Amino acid sequence: MELVEAIRLRKSVRGYKVTPVPEAILSEVLDIALMSPSGMNTQPWEISVVTGEALEKLRKGNVELLRAGIEPHPEIARPSFEGVYRQRQVDLAVSIFKLMGIEREDKEKRAEWMERGFRIFDAPAAIIISMDSSLDKSSLSFMDIGALMQTICLAALNYGLATCIEDQGVMYPEVVRRVTGIPETKRIIICIAIGYPDWDFPANSLKSTRLPLENVVTWCR
Ligand SMILES: Cc1cc2nc3c(=O)[nH]c(=O)nc-3n(C[C@H](O)[C@H](O)[C@H](O)COP(=O)(O)O)c2cc1C
């Protein structure tokens, strides 16, 4: 797929076909994505690919804790957004709920939607990125992982795959550790759902908006 087309086409997909993704294809996507840049070429990322029974255990473990009312406790800071940032977060939720036919007051359906995120959108594979906790204070390393995330999502498109970067999937790190064996010495950063998109899934028709260039870019001549 052509690069600019891929960048413009990429979007978060929250509904997948059950079709498994061959490991050879996941390997190719990750091999390409490992060309991502990192500060001083430190390559801080460590990647776990979770599929099959392991992924079912991860979903089940997440949902169990969520239903038990255990407060999610991700290992990356997730602040309560305020002001314009909060508004954008609300706008996103409103758009998704509208497509999914979820009413604002319908607590049950909202909870179901939340669970879906913790089930990693029922994708056939999940890519979990972690890094050594000795890098905890390096904002640079978090940026490096951001670059890797986006490159994975773009490379995936070339193979007809879709993705959703999501922190919900790793908000119960103890479950992730149990399933993947990621040790306590690593910080679990993010999860990426990956699989073949189900374009009939209502939320997948969402194309999120962006501020226009003029609102974001300052030219200093
Ligand atoms: C760091 C990060 C974490 C995210 N976590 C979630 C998540 O937990 N659940 C979810 O549904 N989407 C999640 N997303 C997807 C964003 O909501 C999405 O990227 C944003 O709304 C822009 O939409 P787009 O990806 O379709 O362009 C996350 C994205 C990023 C970059």
Side-chain angles (χ1 to χ4, degrees), residues 10 14 30 32 36 51 54 75 77 80 111 130 146 152 196 200 204:
R10 186 216 56 81
R14 298 179 175 90
L30 293 173
I32 294 164
S36 304
T51 59
E75 295 185 343
S80 294
S130 55
I152 290 174
Y196 298 102
D200 292 331
N204 287 349

Side-chain angles (χ1 to χ4, degrees), residues 42-55:
T42 43
Q43 306 170 60
W45 40 69
E46 296 181 27
I47 302 172
S48 306
V49 183
V50 189
T51 59
E53 245 176 67
L55 184 51

Side-chain angles (χ1 to χ4, degrees), residues 9-14 76 78 88 92 96 113 117-118 121 149 163-169 171 189-191 206-210:
L9 270 182
R10 186 216 56 81
K11 62 172 173 170
S12 295
V13 160
R14 298 179 175 90
I76 49 163
R78 195 193 215 242
R88 287 176 198 154
L92 173 69
I96 292 179
W113 179 258
F118 282 82
F121 303 111
M149 282 175 354
T163 53
C164 185
I165 299 167
E166 58 144 7
D167 48 347
Q168 279 175 306
M171 281 191 182
I189 312 282
I190 199 81
C191 169
L206 177 72
K207 185 66 188 162
S208 60
T209 56
R210 296 294 187 273

